[in-house]
């Protein structure tokens, strides 16, 4: 790969300069909170859409923070004297964070964007100029090795990742280092890989400027840079998952046929996981004519792993092609060339009998169980991020249900999970509702229908009585045979536990 047409990057072997620059940025309140206070919500959110005009209007003054916003976020040349009042300008020029422009101005060589960590950390994400907002944002860059910053996919993966202390974590396809930065909070050792050497360079800058520990950076595709004897307790990847003809853009195009890159990534992850370890990915997958998409994804899961796969969105092939052609800015160029590219995408899908493309999350957990659990579901509804704890609890419940048959469930004690509400649906004035719905207000925000027994059972669960004793009391109340009720209810209890409405006690 050649990055010859891209600008030179700051030196990554000058940690003392990065530390001085970080201190200067923090001293001027160049943080996520500081930007919101300066710009106001409309201009701040416009930046996330790569719209700069509102921010330009809000930074017409000469305060240190306004100077830094124009320099690093808006890529505007700024008078040398103004920058010298805020930054160690000589060191930044020597190490390549800044370059001289004209006779008395300086400009940034990279985009530096404040990024708030989950516990209030003040971090900074480095990316190529004009590429701070990544992922289907229409950045319009056709440079093969360009490195994007924070996008919706990046924050989604960071939010769903299980955050338990681990000794070794792997960020595969690190890009600008966002996942490696998050992993540095709870991993003793972080390894970050990427096919693009420019991405590894920028990851080093992101970690240094954020005050995080350095990562073990390795160049190569997928698991190639990982030694045969290396395993991890956490593997995360926001890979180049776009299903496209060819591989024009390294940051997004997999370079393999169809969804083979995502499939290979998932299938190879199992042998790299330690017992109980998690591998979490974002992925796209094909909906192929004559195939069940859920069965297709089940076939990806490696042996010895539990899996939870959630499809968040589906697009037909025309929507999908248009989305990613716009991402590369192809719609802004020659109409004939755009139509030829569009036609090539549709030819590729037609040849593979692809009718739609799904997007979602894949989580694997290494298990020693003889009967691994594979859950594949479609959930396009709103969720509450971060979901890392929700993901971990899903697999905890898998373990619990795998270890408890129906008799054990009836002997167990449960309590209703927090923030569950009950909705009754029926005609006005009817004596009984047509159906009862339990709804979560946290995590996945699921809703499930239950019968009157299930609703009554869930409402009584406070951990004091066993499930069997509660059912006996309900049977007496409704005049039903307690033995028959005990026989038919465990399946409903199992579903309520599986989906997180009931929590085992003890």
């Amino acid at each position: 790969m050649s990055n010859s047409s891209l600008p030179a990057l700051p030196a990554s072997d000058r940690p003392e300069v990065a530390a001085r620059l970080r201190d200067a940025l923090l001293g001027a309140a160049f943080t996520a909170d500081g930007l919101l206070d300066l710009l106001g919500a409309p201009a701040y959110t416009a930046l996330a859409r790569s719209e700069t005009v509102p921010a330009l209007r809000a930074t017409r003054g000469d305060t240190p923070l306004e100077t830094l916003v124009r320099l690093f976020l808006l890529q505007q040349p700024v008078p040398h004297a103004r920058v010298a009042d805020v930054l160690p300008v000589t060191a930044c020029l020597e190490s390549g964070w800044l370059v001289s422009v004209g006779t008395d101005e300086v400009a940034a060589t990279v985009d530096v964007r404040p990024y708030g960590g989950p516990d209030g950390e003040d971090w900074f994400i480095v990316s190529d100029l004009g590429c701070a907002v990544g992922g289907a944002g229409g950045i319009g860059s056709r440079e093969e090795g360009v490195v994007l910053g924070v996008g919706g996919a990046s924050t989604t993966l960071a939010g769903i990742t299980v955050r338990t202390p681990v000794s070794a974590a792997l960020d595969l396809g690190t890009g600008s280092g966002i996942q490696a930065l998050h992993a540095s909070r709870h991993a003793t050792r972080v390894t970050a890989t990427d096919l693009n050497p420019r991405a590894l360079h920028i990851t080093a800058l992101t970690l240094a400027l954020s005050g995080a520990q350095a990562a073990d950076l390795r160049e190569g595709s997928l698991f190639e840079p990982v030694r045969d004897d290396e395993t991890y307790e956490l593997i995360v990847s926001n890979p180049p998952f776009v299903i496209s003809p060819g591989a024009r853009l390294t940051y997004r195009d997999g370079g393999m046929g169809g969804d083979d890159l995502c499939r290979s990534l998932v299938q190879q992850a199992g042998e790299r996981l330690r017992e109980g370890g998690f591998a979490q990915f974002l992925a796209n997958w094909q909906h192929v004519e004559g195939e069940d998409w859920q069965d297709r994804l089940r076939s990806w899961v490696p042996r010895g792993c539990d899996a939870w796969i959630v499809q968040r969105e589906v697009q037909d092939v025309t929507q999908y092609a248009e989305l990613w052609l716009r991402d590369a800015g192809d719609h802004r160029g020659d109409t004939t060339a755009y139509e030829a590219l569009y036609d090539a995408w549709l030819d590729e899908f037609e040849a593979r009998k692809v009718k739609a493309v799904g997007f979602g999350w894949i989580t694997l957990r290494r298990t020693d169980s003889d009967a691994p659990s594979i859950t594949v579901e479609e959930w396009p509804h709103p969720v509450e991020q971060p979901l890392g704890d929700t993901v971990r609890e899903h697999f905890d419940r898998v373990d619990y249900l795998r270890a408890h048959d129906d008799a054990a469930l009836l002997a167990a004690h449960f309590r209703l999970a927090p923030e569950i509400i009950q909705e009754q649906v029926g005609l006005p004035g009817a004596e009984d509702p047509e159906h009862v719905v339990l709804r979560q207000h946290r995590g996945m925000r699921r809703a499930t229908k239950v019968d009157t027994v299930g609703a009554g059972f869930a409402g009584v669960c406070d951990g004091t009585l066993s499930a069997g004793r509660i059912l006996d009391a309900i049977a007496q109340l409704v005049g039903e045979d307690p033995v028959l009720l005990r026989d038919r209810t465990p399946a409903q209890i199992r579903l309520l536990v599986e989906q997180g409405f009931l929590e085992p006690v003890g």
Side-chain angles (χ1 to χ4, degrees), residues 89-399:
V89 67
T90 300
C92 287
L93 285 166
E94 291 176 350
S95 60
W97 288 95
L98 302 175
V99 292
S100 296
V101 178
T103 57
D104 62 350
E105 291 186 318
V106 297
T109 57
V110 288
D111 187 293
V112 176
R113 186 151 302 218
Y115 179 72
D119 291 326
E121 300 94 341
D122 288 316
W123 289 337
F124 300 95
I125 306 300
V126 180
S127 64
D128 274 312
L129 294 174
C131 301
V133 181
I139 61 167
S141 177
R142 294 179 174 82
E143 297 288 354
E144 180 186 4
V146 70
V147 179
L148 273 62
V150 180
S154 303
T155 55
T156 294
L157 178 58
I160 67 172
T161 300
V162 175
R163 300 295 176 191
T164 54
V166 297
S167 60
L170 171 64
D171 175 15
L172 195 152
T174 188
S176 56
I178 300 160
Q179 309 308 324
L181 182 57
H182 278 275
S184 70
R185 297 174 56 248
H186 60 103
T188 303
R189 176 173 58 88
V190 177
T191 301
T193 72
D194 206 289
L195 179 64
N196 183 0
R198 188 175 182 87
L200 297 175
H201 191 138
I202 284 182
T203 291
L205 299 176
T206 289
L207 294 172
L209 197 58
S210 298
Q213 65 174 333
D216 179 6
L217 303 176
R218 304 182 190 179
E219 183 180 344
S221 176
L222 299 179
F223 289 99
E224 288 176 0
V226 179
R227 297 192 304 271
D228 290 342
D229 61 344
E230 288 183 299
T231 56
Y232 301 86
E233 292 145 292
L234 176 67
I235 299 172
V236 293
S237 183
N238 176 19
F241 51 65
V242 177
I243 300 169
S244 62
R248 287 192 302 156
L249 301 174
T250 304
Y251 72 85
R252 67 164 212 194
D253 297 323
M256 297 185 184
D259 52 17
D260 283 355
L261 182 136
C262 290
R263 177 185 54 79
S264 298
L265 178 61
V266 173
Q267 290 180 334
Q268 294 173 22
E271 62 187 15
R272 301 297 184 181
L273 279 178
R274 298 176 186 173
E275 186 65 33
F278 288 93
Q280 298 186 261
F281 315 105
L282 300 185
N284 280 187
W285 44 78
Q286 298 171 149
H287 285 229
V288 179
E289 186 177 343
E291 291 186 21
D292 183 288
W293 70 270
Q294 293 181 322
D295 289 342
R296 180 183 183 84
L297 290 175
R298 286 189 185 95
S299 73
W300 291 10
V301 178
R303 294 183 62 183
C305 288
D306 294 323
W308 184 21
I309 302 173
V310 182
Q311 180 167 273
R312 295 288 290 157
E313 184 179 0
V314 181
Q315 292 185 326
D316 67 49
V317 292
T318 60
Q319 292 173 307
Y320 190 80
E322 290 163 15
L323 172 70
W324 293 108
L325 288 171
R326 287 178 178 274
D327 170 71
D330 293 311
H331 61 301
R332 302 191 190 102
D334 177 73
T335 300
T336 302
Y338 170 75
E339 290 175 352
L341 284 170
Y342 197 152
D343 201 40
W345 281 62
L346 296 185
D347 281 345
E348 179 80 4
F349 288 131
E350 183 177 348
R352 294 181 175 276
K353 298 183 178 179
V354 176
K355 57 184 179 179
V357 177
F359 169 85
W361 321 322
I362 298 177
T363 300
L364 307 177
R365 185 189 60 167
R366 190 74 186 180
T367 179
D368 59 1
S369 172
D370 294 332
S373 167
I374 301 177
T375 300
V376 183
E377 63 176 317
E378 185 166 17
W379 191 255
H381 311 293
V383 298
E384 182 190 47
Q385 286 275 34
L387 279 169
D389 287 344
T390 299
V391 173
R392 176 182 52 78
E393 290 162 1
H394 166 88
F395 289 95
D396 289 343
R397 294 192 297 270
V398 165
D399 285 340

